[in-house]
């Protein structure tokens, strides 16, 4: 197998015509759900139902059902929150940063990755809301004039989180919807069902594919991409501030913001690869989501995996270099203390397994990349577990040391969060075009005027 | 009625043709025309000679508004309305305000860009445009490229426009008319029923939420908690008492039992262990006014408002009481006498002696001799 990396691989393989592309993408929307779809939905729905039961029990009896208590006050709730927010980052990276970098290959995967962002942030948002214990009172998190005469604390990272995550969700949703408007118009003009036509008409807002609109639309899309790029970096930075602004040994580190952002992209790409492997197979999108695209994502996984590995090493170095005995103890305890197993799962999954992607054959091997991406997902979940739990369980005062064990409710809610995410993903594949129709048409062969072919993506 | 003409459309097959057509239409002097493509075509801005989009100004304006709102509201809340020192930071802690400022800037800029574009630039939502539901729209939505010359163009002439479009290589040339006004059936019974159902469901849900739901577990503001509350039954202890009796054979700190409890008089003399210092007397006065004065009166005259309604409370200035020693007064206070109950559980031993001392002061003051007054005056000088 010889690949010339100096030539940009075509975004779409197989010389599909524009009409064929549209038919291919619209097919799942036009056909009735089949057995495979219902089976997948029932599995994820069961996980979701399990999580919902655990959440309702938590509402009724309180968060005493969970395993976190002194000295480990942050347990699965925060671990899952950081994990899911991180998953979301890949979508914005693909849709915004790669757009600004004029990477044509992003068009095949951008819509799906953006959808995953939205679902991941929705899932993540549940945890801060739930861990307050009485989520129906979460309105207090917002600064509004109230009869107590009190305001929220704008200097607290936990409040920054409220603003960062809600802004991130809103902007991602708007960005996604703006991308969907022309597709809704295409679907509206394509469908024969009256009900579908009404729904698509409402959501297309009356889009007419007019070039006078396209001109502003492209400008808006670029502006949104320009905003989403610093936004995505800010969100995980602020999430890392939740830890770094405290004075806990193991948390109080200036490397946290870049380390968290790299980790977020790493885990997000792994999740996108995991899901896309199935989607391209099930919906016959192998020509649009090609092996070349997956290979490029694997390269990103390799690069960010090593950034994360560098951060692990640097944390140990700084702990030694600081000369602070408590800091040093925390890191030795992390690797060789009671939670050594979590630490070594994290290191092997995040640093060792992605090294396989140095070999081109492995980068293009779909079963192998599936296994590695699963490992990365596991490893990144454990990274958050290690950061949160091992720093808390043995800090300054040895008389207050403890060992955190999650309860069945914690595990049930974790499973439920996967259930929610995958239920939303599965419903999405049947309800909306998983690839941006307008964008993918624009990069098809012969889609652009011949005298202008040196221009980048649209 | 004559149908009103919207414009003339033509379809093209390739991107090259549509670029050429757009140029041609523009060069023929048309202003009110538009090009329709299923995706944005490179070079079309140039072919149509469109001015750069002004959308960015909207983004900038609203982004800066977001910055300003964030900084102003954080200054107002943290430095003006409720200033509080947190983490040793100044009231207006700018570095700590940057994250929220950034997020609000991005949020407002994004929403303004999108909402502004859709409403002010595109006049959306608009599903009643004449081009909707035409074969032309279905084609440009799919994989064709189209041009439409609108009838409001000053140079518009239906035959000339058609010739121009076919001359540029366009096919399927159509005249597009405004749709006939459809009557909006506001009083359709179905619609009225729909409105009633929506109103009933909404108001019912709100009534339920505000009047029922907030009084149900677990939304009851922690009214029901699994803790012991005094005077209430509990399932936790076998005897169902929340308040626990003393452990047998123990004495609570500061509650040494009174050894002459229940006796008419103490069998041995009890000696006052305190000295009537100013502080001690102040305590005695406070406790006397709290516990003794309701019956015996503020100065121990037995002149409280109980007088005449009950067995009259005795004066503390009688010769009998004045003749008692301190221990005797203490015994009555702890043990009670006649209708007077025991105050053992309400008053601590130290406070009891302070009351006794205070009673002595009252007795002295009420029954002072001339020498006493002279002595006080002398001291006062």
């Amino acid at each position: 197998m010889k690949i010339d990396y100096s030539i940009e691989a075509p975004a779409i393989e197989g010389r599909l015509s524009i009409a064929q592309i549209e038919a291919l993408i619209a097919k799942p929307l036009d056909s009735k759900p089949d057995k495979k779809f219902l089976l997948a939905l029932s599995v994820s729905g069961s996980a979701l139902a399990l999580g919902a039961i655990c959440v309702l029990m938590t509402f009724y009896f309180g968060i005493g059902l969970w395993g976190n208590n002194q000295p480990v006050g942050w347990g699965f709730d925060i671990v899952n929150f950081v994990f899911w927010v991180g998953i979301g980052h890949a979508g914005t990276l693909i849709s915004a940063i790669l757009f600004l970098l004029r990477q044509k290959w992003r068009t095949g995967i951008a819509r799906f990755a953006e959808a995953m962002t939205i679902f991941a942030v929705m899932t993540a948002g549940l945890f801060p809301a739930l861990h307050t214990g009485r989520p129906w009172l979460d309105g207090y998190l917002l600064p509004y004039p109230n009869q107590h005469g009190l305001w929220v604390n704008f200097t607290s990272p936990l409040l920054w989180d409220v603003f960062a995550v809600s802004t991130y969700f809103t902007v991602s949703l708007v960005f996604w919807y703006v991308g969907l408007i022309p597709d809704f118009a295409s679907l509206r003009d394509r469908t024969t069902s009256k009900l579908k036509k009404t729904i698509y008409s409402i959501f297309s807002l009356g889009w007419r594919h007019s070039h006078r609109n396209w001109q502003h639309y492209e400008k808006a899309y670029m502006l949104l991409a320009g905003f989403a790029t610093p936004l995505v970096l800010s969100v995980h930075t602020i999430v890392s501030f939740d830890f770094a602004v405290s004075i806990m040994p193991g948390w109080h580190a200036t490397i946290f913001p870049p380390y968290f952002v790299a980790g977020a992209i790493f885990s997000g790409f792994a999740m996108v690869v995991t899901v896309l492997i199935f989607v391209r197979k099930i919906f016959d999108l192998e020509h649009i989501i090609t092996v070349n695209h997956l290979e490029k994502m694997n390269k990103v996984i390799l690069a960010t995996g090593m950034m994360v590995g560098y951060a692990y090493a640097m944390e140990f170095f700084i702990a030694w270099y600081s000369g602070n005995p408590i800091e040093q103890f925390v890191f030795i305890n992390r690797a060789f203390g009671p939670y050594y197993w979590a630490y070594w799962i994290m290191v092997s999954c995040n640093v060792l397994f992605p090294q396989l992607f140095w070999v081109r054959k492995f980068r293009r091997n779909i079963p192998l990349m599936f296994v590695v991406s699963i490992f990365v997902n596991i490893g990144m979940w454990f990274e958050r577990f290690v950061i949160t739990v091992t720093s808390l369980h043995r800090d300054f005062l040895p008389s207050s040391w403890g060992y955190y064990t999650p309860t069945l409710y914690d595990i049930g809610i974790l499973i439920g969060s996967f259930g929610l995410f995958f239920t939303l993903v599965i419903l999405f594949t049947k309800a909306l075009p998983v690839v941006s129709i307008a964008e993918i048409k624009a990069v098809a062969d012969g889609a652009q005027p011949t005298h202008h072919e040196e221009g980048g993506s649209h | 009625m004559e149908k009103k003409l919207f414009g003339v459309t033509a379809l093209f097959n390739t991107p090259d043709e549509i670029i050429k057509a757009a140029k041609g239409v523009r060069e023929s002097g048309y202003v009110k025309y538009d090009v329709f493509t299923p995706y944005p075509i490179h070079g079309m801005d140039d072919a149509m000679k469109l001015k750069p989009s002004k959308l960015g100004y909207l983004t900038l304006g609203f982004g800066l508004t977001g910055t300003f709102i964030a900084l102003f509201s954080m200054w107002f809340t943290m430095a003006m309305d409720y200033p509080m020192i947190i983490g040793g930071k100044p009231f207006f802690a700018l570095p700590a305000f940057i994250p929220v400022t950034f997020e609000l800037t991005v949020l407002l800029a994004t929403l303004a860009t999108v909402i502004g574009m859709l409403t002010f630039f595109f006049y959306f939502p608009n599903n009643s445009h004449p081009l909707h539901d035409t074969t032309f729209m279905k084609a440009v939505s799919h994989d064709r490229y189209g041009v439409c010359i609108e009838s409001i163009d000053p140079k518009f002439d239906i035959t000339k426009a058609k010739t121009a479009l076919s001359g540029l290589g366009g096919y399927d040339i159509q005249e597009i008319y405004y749709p006939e006004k459809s009557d909006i059936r506001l009083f359709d019974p179905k619609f009225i029923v729909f409105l009633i159902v929506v109103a009933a469901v909404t108001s019912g849900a709100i009534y339920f939420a505000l009047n029922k739901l907030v009084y149900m577990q677990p939304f009851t503001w922690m009214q029901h908690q699994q803790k012991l509350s005094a005077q209430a039954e509990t399932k936790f202890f076998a005897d169902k008492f929340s308040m626990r009796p003393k452990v047998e054979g123990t004495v609570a700190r500061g509650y040494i039992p009174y050894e002459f409890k229940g006796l008419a008089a103490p069998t041995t003399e009890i000696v006052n262990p305190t000295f009537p210092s100013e502080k001690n007397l102040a305590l005695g006065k406070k406790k006397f006014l709290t516990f003794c004065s309701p019956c015996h009166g503020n100065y121990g005259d037995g002149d409280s408002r109980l007088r005449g309604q009950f067995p009259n409370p005795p004066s503390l200035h009688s010769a009998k009481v004045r003749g008692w020693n301190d221990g005797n007064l203490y015994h009555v206070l702890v043990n009670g006498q006649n209708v007077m109950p025991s105050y053992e559980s309400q008053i601590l031993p130290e406070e009891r002696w302070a009351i006794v001392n205070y009673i002595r002061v009252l007795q002295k003051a009420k029954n002072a001799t001339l020498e006493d007054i002279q002595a006080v005056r002398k001291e006062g000088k």
Side-chain angles (χ1 to χ4, degrees):
Chain A
M1 181 170 47
K2 201 105 175 101
I3 297 162
D4 184 359
Y5 286 109
S6 64
I7 301 167
E8 191 177 351
I12 304 164
E13 285 173 354
R15 300 198 67 82
L16 296 173
S17 74
I18 288 174
Q20 282 171 316
I21 291 170
E22 189 183 295
L24 203 57
I25 299 168
K27 201 176 78 182
L29 311 180
D30 296 341
S31 55
K32 283 230 153 60
D34 56 359
K35 256 194 189 143
K36 268 190 286 182
F37 176 84
L38 293 175
L39 185 73
L41 193 64
S42 61
V43 171
S44 72
S46 309
L48 175 61
L50 175 69
I53 290 168
C54 293
V55 165
L56 288 177
M57 302 264 291
T58 307
F59 281 4
Y60 196 82
F61 293 105
I63 52 169
L65 290 184
W66 297 354
N68 45 348
N69 209 330
Q70 292 299 347
V72 182
W74 275 3
F76 268 32
D77 44 351
I78 303 300
V79 175
N80 296 343
F81 164 66
V82 181
F83 174 74
W84 281 112
V85 171
I87 295 292
H89 280 46
T92 319
L93 188 103
I94 290 168
S95 66
I97 299 182
L98 296 185
F99 175 79
L100 293 180
L101 296 176
R102 299 278 184 266
Q103 295 294 313
K104 269 190 198 167
W105 61 274
R106 72 174 267 289
T107 41
I109 53 173
R111 165 71 47 74
F112 202 89
E114 282 169 42
M116 285 176 63
T117 295
I118 290 161
F119 303 147
V121 175
M122 281 165 74
T123 312
L126 281 181
F127 288 97
L130 285 180
H131 97 306
T132 60
R134 295 189 164 69
W136 51 94
L137 302 179
D138 283 349
Y140 289 137
L141 291 169
L142 299 171
Y144 68 100
N146 54 54
Q147 70 270 39
H148 313 296
L150 287 173
W151 296 103
V152 294
N153 176 10
F154 283 107
T155 60
S156 162
L158 301 180
L159 183 96
W160 303 345
D161 247 4
V162 174
F163 278 82
V165 175
S166 53
T167 302
Y168 184 45
F169 177 70
T170 314
V171 171
S172 301
L173 191 66
V174 167
F175 196 34
W176 191 55
Y177 178 64
V178 166
L180 274 165
I181 291 174
D183 288 6
F184 278 128
S186 288
L187 292 169
R188 169 199 68 199
D189 291 331
R190 181 189 170 78
T191 185
T192 46
S193 142
K194 207 178 159 204
L195 177 69
K196 277 186 183 172
K197 188 173 150 59
T198 312
I199 294 169
Y200 291 141
S201 295
I202 291 168
F203 284 105
S204 73
L205 302 171
W207 178 263
R208 292 187 301 277
H209 300 284
S210 141
H211 189 77
R212 288 178 196 274
N213 288 359
W214 277 124
Q215 189 211 7
H216 297 301
Y217 178 90
E218 288 200 273
K219 179 88 179 175
Y221 204 79
M222 199 192 66
L223 286 169
L224 292 193
F227 278 121
T229 301
L231 181 65
V232 68
L233 301 182
S234 87
V235 171
H236 229 56
T237 299
I238 289 173
V239 169
S240 81
F241 283 163
D242 290 346
F243 299 92
V245 171
S246 76
I247 53 160
M248 285 300 295
W251 286 2
H252 189 58
T254 48
I255 200 176
F256 262 39
Y259 163 32
F260 268 53
V261 171
I265 293 166
F266 182 50
S267 66
F269 266 74
M271 187 64 101
V272 172
V273 168
T274 313
V275 179
L276 279 186
I277 286 172
F278 286 103
V279 167
R280 68 194 286 274
K281 192 87 202 153
I282 292 170
F283 297 109
D284 301 325
L285 293 173
E286 280 111 328
H287 292 304
I288 292 173
I289 304 167
T290 65
V291 177
N292 286 325
H293 299 163
L294 295 174
E295 187 190 354
K296 286 196 166 92
M297 289 204 277
N298 290 339
K299 284 182 185 171
V300 175
I301 289 175
L302 177 61
T304 47
M306 286 196 300
M307 287 184 209
V308 170
Y310 170 80
Y312 298 157
M314 198 43 60
E315 276 190 315
F316 271 81
F317 172 75
I318 293 292
W320 167 75
Y321 190 68
S322 70
N324 180 341
I326 293 173
E327 195 78 24
Q328 287 167 1
F329 168 76
V330 163
F331 280 94
I332 290 169
N333 182 51
R334 212 173 248 189
F336 303 107
Y339 284 108
Y340 75 95
W341 50 273
Y343 183 81
W344 293 109
I345 289 175
M346 166 186 105
V347 170
S348 51
C349 289
N350 290 350
V351 186
L352 299 184
F353 286 110
Q355 302 303 323
L356 291 173
F357 287 152
W358 283 108
V359 183
R360 183 198 301 146
K361 230 201 233 155
F362 294 157
R363 278 202 304 267
R364 300 177 72 90
N365 181 329
I366 287 174
L368 187 103
M369 75 173 85
F370 177 72
V371 172
V372 172
S373 70
I374 293 286
F375 274 133
V376 170
N377 283 322
I378 294 170
M380 284 309 292
W381 189 88
F382 271 99
E383 181 194 296
R384 280 62 178 251
F385 180 84
V386 165
I387 292 171
T388 309
V389 174
T390 62
S391 307
L392 286 172
H393 88 121
R394 284 185 175 179
D395 58 2
F396 302 105
L397 200 60
S399 63
S400 310
W401 286 1
Y403 191 84
Y404 165 79
T405 318
T407 62
L408 283 178
Y409 296 95
D410 282 313
I411 293 163
I413 293 174
L414 173 62
I415 294 171
S417 73
F418 279 91
L420 174 64
F421 178 76
F422 283 109
T423 304
L424 290 169
V425 167
I426 290 167
L427 290 176
F428 161 71
T429 58
K430 213 63 184 144
L432 294 169
V434 291
V435 177
S436 173
I437 299 174
E439 279 188 35
I440 204 80
K441 280 178 184 172
V443 295
D445 285 332
Q448 295 297 345
T450 42
H451 64 273
H452 206 274
E453 68 192 349
E454 77 280 0
S457 99
H458 76 263
Chain B
M1 201 180 81
E2 185 81 7
K3 275 182 163 182
K4 204 180 156 214
L5 187 69
F6 170 76
V8 177
T9 61
L11 288 174
F12 298 86
N13 274 335
T14 66
D16 285 336
E17 277 174 40
I18 191 70
I19 289 271
K20 210 180 106 227
K23 261 188 199 153
V25 171
R26 176 178 54 80
E27 279 160 5
S28 317
Y30 289 106
V31 194
K32 294 283 174 194
Y33 69 98
D34 206 345
V35 175
F36 297 85
T37 54
Y39 52 88
I41 298 240
H42 296 155
M44 186 58 84
D45 293 0
D46 198 40
M48 292 171 75
K49 289 271 180 281
L50 293 176
K51 285 185 196 132
S53 170
K54 288 199 169 62
L55 196 57
Y57 294 106
L58 196 73
T59 313
L60 180 71
F62 275 89
L64 290 177
T65 311
T67 315
F68 176 76
I69 290 175
L71 284 175
F72 175 80
S73 57
M74 284 189 283
W75 166 79
F76 174 74
T77 55
M78 302 291 282
M80 277 299 292
D81 192 42
Y82 204 128
M84 195 159 37
I85 295 175
I86 297 162
K89 295 186 186 79
F91 293 135
F92 187 77
L94 187 61
F97 291 169
I98 295 298
V100 173
T101 309
F102 172 76
E103 302 299 335
L104 228 61
T105 306
V106 168
L107 184 66
L108 247 72
T110 305
L111 292 179
T113 308
V114 172
I115 295 171
M117 174 180 79
L118 294 176
T119 54
F120 295 121
F121 286 71
F122 297 173
Y123 305 108
F124 280 176
N126 178 7
N127 274 311
S128 57
H129 193 275
L131 283 173
H132 283 313
D133 288 324
T134 58
T135 49
F136 172 77
M137 184 47 62
K138 285 200 193 332
V140 298
S141 216
H142 189 45
D143 64 345
R144 303 290 132 166
Y145 315 88
V147 172
C148 174
I149 301 174
E150 292 169 31
S151 64
I152 49 168
D153 191 282
K155 279 192 71 179
F156 185 79
D157 178 87
I158 188 155
T159 38
K160 272 188 191 164
K162 280 184 177 176
T163 345
L165 287 174
S166 64
L168 288 162
Y171 66 95
D172 197 11
I173 294 166
Q174 287 183 22
E175 294 164 19
I176 304 285
Y177 291 93
Y178 281 99
E180 281 168 54
K181 278 241 160 63
S182 57
D183 52 329
I184 300 161
R185 289 165 299 160
L186 218 53
F187 297 102
D188 188 328
K190 265 189 195 166
F191 183 66
I192 301 274
V193 168
F194 171 75
L195 282 186
I196 291 170
V197 169
V198 168
V201 168
T202 316
S203 50
I206 291 171
Y207 177 84
F208 175 76
L210 296 182
N211 294 286
K212 302 286 173 219
L213 190 69
V214 291
Y215 299 108
M216 288 179 184
Q217 273 281 55
F219 305 105
T220 51
W221 304 88
M222 298 191 251
Q223 265 176 19
H224 305 287
Q225 298 181 15
Q226 289 192 317
K227 66 170 190 187
L228 302 177
S229 70
Q231 325 290 348
E233 210 175 82
T234 176
K235 285 176 193 158
F236 190 75
F237 294 111
D239 62 2
K240 295 187 180 175
F241 281 105
S242 292
M243 295 170 82
R244 305 311 299 154
K246 276 183 215 142
V247 177
E248 229 163 278
T250 60
V251 172
R253 200 175 269 264
Y255 288 91
I256 291 170
Y258 183 55
E259 67 182 299
F260 307 113
K261 182 94 192 174
L263 297 178
T267 47
T268 54
E269 193 179 330
I270 313 168
V271 182
N272 185 347
T274 59
F275 179 78
S277 66
E278 214 167 299
K279 202 177 153 195
N280 181 273
L281 289 173
L283 176 68
K285 183 181 180 183
K286 191 177 164 207
K287 294 294 163 184
F288 180 88
L289 290 174
T290 305
F291 293 106
C292 313
S293 69
C295 300
H296 293 290
N298 285 352
Y299 300 101
D301 291 317
D303 60 349
S304 74
R305 60 197 176 126
L306 282 180
R307 171 157 287 214
Q309 300 179 23
F310 208 58
N312 282 345
S315 163
L316 300 177
H317 303 302
S318 62
K320 181 180 118 191
V321 178
R322 278 162 61 202
W324 282 354
N325 62 21
D326 285 359
N328 220 330
L329 274 172
Y330 184 88
H331 180 74
V332 172
L333 205 163
V334 182
N335 206 36
Q337 196 178 53
N338 304 330
V339 283
M340 175 173 162
S342 160
Y343 279 82
E344 194 188 10
S345 61
Q346 288 106 308
I347 314 177
L348 293 172
E350 189 202 0
E351 295 165 350
R352 295 172 202 157
W353 286 115
I355 291 173
V356 169
N357 291 335
Y358 184 66
I359 291 171
R360 290 294 182 220
V361 171
L362 287 178
Q363 286 170 345
K364 193 81 181 165
K366 276 275 169 184
N367 305 286
T369 57
L370 195 59
E371 292 89 67
D372 292 335
I373 293 164
Q374 280 166 348
V376 169
R377 279 199 180 144
K378 218 185 222 168
E379 229 169 76
K381 277 173 193 170

